[in-house]
């Protein structure tokens, strides 16, 4: 079953390549028009376009799901395999990241942060397979940012809407308009930071590759035969640049997005006030229970 899960984790990437070859028209020169639209679903409020970014996002999700099943299949308590050692190492690292940046209260966030890291990183790395990276579509990254913004707002309101509303007046009341603008700007900045860095890296890599091909044709185009058509300058150099623009930058942006998620959620949570109120409610319940027991004893 481990081998089956490993094969299934690779199949979505292969399916994405086949879909691109069969249904996405080949670009003539430089094409920065965005994700290809396969078809549009008519809805009462308007059309819902099914794009290359959406399809590739689902392929990434399927690939991660099957790879997680591969990693977690056959775990043991004794005589563990090398695969289990790697899995336990990853779990410990994510737990340590949560504990260091969010605290003990948020340890349950580990699966969510791991999902953000893996989904964002693999989505950006899809360009290495010649596929459109979902993180180059503002709609995809914007959806992630909205989800994170809902979590941030939820934890900010854990002590009630009144405490949340009062927080806009900190440190002084006349800064409330700026604090409100900052609150709304949080998901926007998270989305555009991730989207802009990934998209700009893809565009720069493509421009350099096209420029090197034209330079090669200019220098060696005078050679007769097929030799003059070989883009010598395009061999190797774009691959080296791809190590930064696709591999390093994609993983870095995934880490930054996850770090911002942790810092915004934990930083907006009024933990001291929440714990104080929780302790007060617990003391009130215990007092009411003790009074009830005393009343029953007096009646008896």
């Amino acid at each position: 079953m481990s081998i089956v899960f490993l094969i299934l984790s690779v199949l979505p990437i292969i399916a994405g390549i086949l879909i691109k070859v069969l249904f996405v028209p080949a670009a003539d020169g430089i094409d920065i028009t965005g994700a290809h639209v396969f078809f549009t679903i008519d809805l009462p409020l308007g059309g819902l376009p099914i794009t290359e970014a959406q399809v590739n996002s689902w392929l990434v999700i399927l690939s991660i799901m099957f790879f997680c099943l591969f990693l977690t299949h056959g775990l043991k308590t004794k005589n563990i395999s090398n695969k289990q050692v790697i899995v336990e190492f990853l779990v410990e690292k994510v737990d340590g990241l949560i504990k260091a940046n969010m605290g003990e209260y948020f340890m349950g966030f580990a699966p969510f942060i791991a999902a953000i890291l893996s989904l964002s990183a693999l989505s950006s790395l899809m360009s290495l397979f010649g596929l459109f990276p979902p993180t180059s579509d503002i709609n995809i990254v914007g959806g992630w940012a909205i989800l994170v913004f809902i979590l941030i707002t939820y934890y900010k309101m854990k002590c009630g809407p009144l405490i949340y509303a009062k927080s806009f007046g900190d440190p002084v009341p006349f800064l409330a308009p700026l604090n409100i603008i900052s609150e709304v700007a949080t998901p926007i900045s998270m989305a555009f930071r991730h989207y802009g860095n990934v998209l700009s890296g893809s565009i720069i890599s493509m421009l350099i590759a096209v420029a090197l091909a034209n330079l090669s044709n200019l220098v060696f185009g005078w050679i007769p035969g097929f030799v003059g058509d070989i883009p010598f300058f395009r061999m190797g150099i774009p691959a080296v640049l791809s190590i930064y623009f696709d591999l390093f930058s994609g993983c870095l942006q995934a880490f930054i997005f996850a770090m911002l998620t942790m810092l915004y959620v934990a930083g907006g949570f009024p933990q001291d006030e929440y714990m104080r109120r929780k302790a007060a409610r617990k003391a009130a319940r215990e007092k009411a229970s003790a009074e009830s027991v005393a009343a029953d004893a007096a009646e008896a």
Side-chain angles (χ1 to χ4, degrees):
M1 285 304 300
S2 294
I3 297 176
V4 172
F5 287 138
L6 184 60
I7 294 174
L8 289 174
S9 67
V10 178
L11 286 181
I13 308 299
I14 298 175
I17 296 174
L18 292 176
I19 291 173
K20 183 178 180 64
V21 172
L22 295 176
F23 300 105
V24 179
D28 185 15
I30 300 176
D31 182 16
I32 55 174
T33 56
H36 174 72
V37 179
F38 292 109
F39 56 90
T40 301
I41 301 175
D42 292 329
L43 296 175
L45 299 179
L48 175 63
I50 304 301
T51 68
E52 197 176 0
Q54 292 169 304
V55 173
N56 289 348
S57 290
W58 280 105
L59 294 176
V60 169
I61 292 172
L62 289 174
S63 182
I64 292 174
M65 181 188 71
F66 286 122
F67 189 68
C68 289
L69 291 174
F70 161 73
L71 291 177
T72 56
H73 181 262
L75 299 182
K76 304 176 182 178
T77 56
K78 297 180 180 180
N79 300 322
I80 62 176
S81 62
N82 294 331
K83 179 185 70 173
Q84 185 168 339
V85 173
I86 296 174
V87 172
E88 293 179 357
F89 173 78
L90 294 175
V91 171
E92 290 175 357
K93 286 299 180 182
V94 175
D95 286 343
L97 195 65
I98 298 295
K99 187 175 181 179
N101 293 281
M102 302 184 76
E104 293 283 353
Y105 182 84
F106 291 96
M107 291 306 296
F109 259 67
F112 179 72
I113 297 301
I116 288 179
L117 282 168
S118 57
L119 180 60
S120 177
L122 188 55
S123 294
S124 299
L125 296 179
M126 291 288 275
S127 58
L128 296 176
F129 303 98
L131 302 176
F132 182 86
T135 44
S136 292
D137 191 327
I138 187 60
N139 300 288
I140 301 296
V141 185
W144 300 351
I146 291 173
L147 175 61
V148 172
F149 180 68
I150 292 172
L151 283 173
I152 295 171
T153 306
Y154 169 76
Y155 278 97
K156 282 186 175 182
M157 297 183 67
K158 289 283 278 186
C159 291
L162 184 60
I163 298 296
Y164 174 64
K166 286 182 177 180
S167 66
F168 290 110
D170 292 334
V172 287
F174 69 83
L175 290 179
L178 294 178
N179 290 332
I180 293 174
I181 294 173
S182 176
E183 190 81 359
V184 177
T186 296
I188 298 175
S189 64
M190 291 183 68
F192 276 94
R193 180 186 291 107
H194 199 330
Y195 155 77
N197 280 282
V198 175
L199 180 63
S200 62
S202 300
I203 293 176
I204 291 172
S205 297
M206 181 172 57
L207 291 175
I208 292 175
V210 173
L212 289 174
N214 293 333
L215 179 62
S216 180
N217 182 62
L218 180 65
V219 175
F220 301 103
W222 59 270
I223 300 177
F226 70 93
V227 178
D229 297 329
I230 299 176
F232 291 100
F233 291 148
R234 197 172 177 178
M235 297 179 181
I237 299 178
V240 174
L241 295 175
S242 180
I243 294 177
Y244 173 79
F245 289 117
D246 294 326
L247 186 60
F248 175 75
S249 181
C251 294
L252 178 62
Q253 293 307 314
F255 179 75
I256 291 174
F257 193 89
M259 285 295 297
L260 290 175
T261 300
M262 291 186 287
L263 295 177
Y264 281 140
V265 172
F269 176 49
Q271 187 170 356
D272 293 338
E273 179 66 16
Y274 177 76
M275 291 301 180
R276 186 189 66 79
R277 293 190 174 200
K278 186 177 180 180
R281 289 194 298 268
K282 182 179 179 181
R285 287 195 300 268
E286 291 176 351
K287 181 179 179 181
S289 177
E291 291 177 351
S292 176
V293 172
D296 292 341
E299 291 179 359

